[in-house]
Amino acid sequence: MSLSLYNTATRSVDTFKAITPGKVGIYLCGATVQAEPHIGHIRSGVNFDILRRWLIHSGYKVTFIRNVTDIDDKILHKAVHEKAPWWAVAMKYERAFTDAYRALNVMPPTYEPRATGHITQMISLMERLVERGYAYAPGNGDLYLEVRKLASYLTLSGQKLDDLLPAGDADDSVKRDPRDFALWKSSKPGEPSWPTPWGDGRPGWHLECSAMAHAYLGEEFDIHGGGLDLIFPHHENEIAQSQAAGYGFARVWMHNAWVTASGEKMSKSLGNSLVVREILKRVRGIELRWYLGSAHYRSMLEFSFEALEESATSFRRIEGFLHRAKEHGEVHVLISDEFKSAMDDDLAVPTALALLSGWLRSGNSAITDGNFTAVVEEASKIRGALNVLGCDPFDSAFDADKSSDSSSQKEVLDGLIAGLLQEREEARARKDFAAADRIRDRISTLGITIEDTASGPRWSIS
Ligand SMILES: [Zn+2]
């Protein structure tokens, strides 16, 4: 069986066929960096990381692009609110997202382009759209895409143009059709802006993804992903921009469902309690990842702290079994045929987890029976599954106790510096002050400050 994936564009589970055999290009819409990530934001990162890991396990070379939207109305509002420059706000929250992705063992993208770093590509794309007769500038500094000219518009979401509400991103009176959307917006005084042939301004939200997907993945690529809420208008408008430019764009469209709370899409009203950083005070990164990755990516995940705790407890049971099994032999990453079939079936993680429960049961009874060959084999199958899901406890990314790691590094450093300091003391004792000074200089060029105290020299990193 080969990999099949649900394609939002065809509304069916189709056999996946890479454009270039053995290679897959993926573009995932990343974060608008205007607030700390909550678990609703991070789910898409986890879901598409599982897809990426499965493709890699299946032998593909994957180029994975996830953009950073670092210019946007929300960022400008936040900058006013935080009394900070817009770019400082964007950087601060980009770092918060990077930290959250790292804590959840989401592989860094192959390339992670920022919108503001690709204005040149956006201008080229807009010039092409004007030349081809799809974009127009009414003279107010904005540039709009004329959606009625594109027969393929709205096929992803299955809507009719005449049923659509106005785009609402500019004054309707300047547009040929109120549903036309802004590719570029003229800037208001005090706002960041870049020069273009149509006036100084900044990009509309959709433009960057078309420009950056083209820059990194070419005219046509394999998979485009994002959350369900992006299908319209964002993904429809990306398709419109790229296809009007004459590019094939994405072949497969994949959308992950939301994390819900009381059946609703997670919202700001839940406050900070669902910010990833806060949740990581309750459970480890590996446990939060396990929880977020356990539902099928197309199913809503109803969040509750009880469910999170329960899920973390069951993960700890699996982890405990793997550690016990390790005492009886080497636990490998083994991909069983049943697991492969489940993952090839549109990433059927719940089916895979049911298999895993079975292996855990038979592994535990093999411990009781003293059949350690069977214990290690079941453990290897479990580890194989966990590895694909990004939750392999033997993966160094999840060194359960990072603090003990850094404390052992400090011990080594302590020993090395103590040795140098002792040499310096000996040089002083024999009144070889030149040698003592040389040692002190060498230590200080490493950025280490020595303080002579009554109880002997003490060091710190300056
Ligand atoms: Zn996008």
Side-chain angles (χ1 to χ4, degrees):
M1 188 178 154
S2 57
L3 177 63
S4 296
L5 295 170
Y6 181 82
N7 186 352
T8 308
T10 62
R11 292 173 185 74
S12 58
V13 178
D14 304 334
T15 302
F16 176 73
K17 196 169 174 297
I19 295 173
T20 308
K23 292 185 179 169
V24 181
I26 303 177
Y27 187 97
L28 173 64
C29 291
T32 298
V33 283
Q34 50 96 19
E36 280 213 51
H38 61 60
I39 55 171
H41 294 124
I42 221 76
R43 182 181 180 193
S44 140
V46 169
N47 283 155
F48 284 93
D49 191 58
I50 293 173
L51 168 69
R52 183 182 183 184
R53 286 169 188 265
W54 183 239
L55 289 166
I56 293 170
H57 271 276
S58 306
Y60 290 100
K61 186 178 186 306
V62 180
T63 303
F64 192 97
I65 312 298
R66 189 185 63 219
N67 67 304
V68 176
T69 301
D70 61 345
I71 181 82
D72 177 88
D73 282 340
K74 289 186 204 124
I75 296 173
L76 300 180
H77 289 151
K78 197 67 170 255
V80 172
H81 184 73
E82 294 194 0
K83 296 187 176 62
W86 64 272
W87 41 265
V89 169
M91 187 78 253
K92 173 174 147 187
Y93 294 116
E94 183 184 323
R95 290 217 169 110
F97 269 87
T98 303
D99 290 347
Y101 287 129
R102 193 183 298 128
L104 269 71
N105 199 24
V106 173
M107 294 166 72
T110 316
Y111 305 110
E112 191 171 17
R114 295 191 187 114
T116 57
H118 295 76
I119 303 289
T120 316
Q121 289 85 345
M122 294 184 209
I123 293 174
S124 305
L125 178 59
M126 288 190 288
E127 283 174 334
R128 193 175 164 95
L129 292 172
V130 171
E131 267 166 38
R132 292 170 65 94
Y134 288 100
Y136 62 96
N140 62 350
D142 290 2
L143 191 73
Y144 304 114
L145 193 94
E146 196 166 358
V147 291
R148 203 170 280 278
K149 284 197 168 168
L150 268 167
S152 61
Y153 193 50
L154 302 178
T155 48
L156 185 68
S157 56
Q159 303 177 88
K160 285 202 183 72
L161 186 60
D162 292 321
D163 297 342
L164 217 58
L165 295 170
D169 52 4
D171 178 4
D172 288 348
S173 67
V174 298
K175 294 183 177 180
R176 292 182 187 164
D177 186 308
R179 301 162 191 98
D180 293 346
F181 64 89
L183 298 164
W184 192 261
K185 294 175 172 180
S186 63
S187 50
K188 300 187 188 88
E191 282 183 354
S193 70
W194 290 262
T196 74
W198 311 283
D200 291 359
R202 58 191 176 82
W205 169 32
H206 317 294
L207 187 64
E208 64 179 274
C209 291
S210 287
M212 298 192 290
H214 181 244
Y216 294 91
L217 296 171
E219 295 187 5
E220 192 175 23
F221 57 93
D222 299 290
I223 299 173
H224 194 312
L228 266 184
D229 46 333
L230 295 183
I231 295 177
F232 182 81
H234 185 54
H235 288 163
E236 289 285 13
N237 291 355
E238 282 186 34
I239 295 171
Q241 293 161 161
S242 296
Q243 294 194 343
Y247 306 144
F249 210 49
R251 286 218 180 153
V252 180
W253 284 87
M254 292 177 69
H255 293 95
N256 65 279
W258 301 329
V259 178
T260 55
S262 312
E264 305 272 326
K265 180 170 185 264
M266 199 151 278
S267 70
K268 287 215 177 74
S269 62
L270 289 159
N272 282 333
S273 62
L274 299 177
V275 162
V276 172
R277 189 171 42 82
E278 288 301 317
I279 293 203
L280 290 178
K281 291 175 184 168
R282 291 171 176 249
V283 295
R284 292 175 299 154
I286 195 169
E287 291 162 354
L288 178 55
R289 177 170 176 128
W290 172 255
Y291 173 68
L292 291 176
S294 60
H296 190 267
Y297 74 93
R298 288 196 286 127
S299 305
M300 297 291 174
L301 177 65
E302 171 66 19
F303 177 84
S304 72
F305 282 109
E306 295 72 32
L308 173 66
E309 301 289 351
E310 223 171 87
S311 158
T313 306
S314 65
F315 182 76
R316 287 194 282 269
R317 269 199 291 274
I318 300 166
E319 206 179 12
F321 169 72
L322 288 187
H323 283 286
R324 275 202 304 283
K326 208 178 169 193
E327 293 164 15
H328 301 290
E330 198 178 337
V331 178
H332 295 281
V333 171
L334 181 71
I335 306 291
S336 72
D337 288 343
E338 309 115 283
F339 179 75
K340 184 178 182 319
S341 303
M343 292 305 284
D344 274 346
D345 180 15
D346 192 32
L347 311 176
V349 171
T351 311
L353 296 185
L355 291 168
L356 197 152
S357 302
W359 300 329
L360 186 64
R361 266 195 308 276
S362 54
N364 276 321
S365 47
I367 288 184
T368 317
D369 300 345
N371 180 355
F372 297 119
T373 313
V375 170
V376 172
E377 198 186 315
E378 298 302 296
S380 294
K381 285 194 273 186
I382 292 175
R383 187 180 173 201
L386 294 186
N387 195 275
V388 170
L389 300 175
C391 295
D392 179 353
F394 301 145
D395 179 346
S396 60
F398 279 129
D399 275 344
D401 211 347
K402 289 234 170 62
S403 57
S404 80
D405 231 38
S406 65
S407 73
S408 69
Q409 282 169 11
K410 191 178 175 298
E411 262 172 48
V412 172
L413 205 56
D414 254 337
L416 287 170
I417 293 169
L420 285 168
L421 290 178
Q422 193 180 338
E423 273 184 45
R424 174 170 161 259
E425 287 311 301
E426 283 164 13
R428 281 170 130 187
R430 58 175 193 269
K431 303 215 178 327
D432 183 354
F433 296 112
D437 286 350
R438 263 202 313 278
I439 294 167
R440 189 189 185 101
D441 290 348
R442 202 196 307 159
I443 294 175
S444 84
T445 53
L446 295 173
I448 288 162
T449 311
I450 306 297
E451 194 191 335
D452 287 305
T453 69
S455 57
R458 221 182 18 221
W459 68 271
S460 59
I461 295 175
S462 31

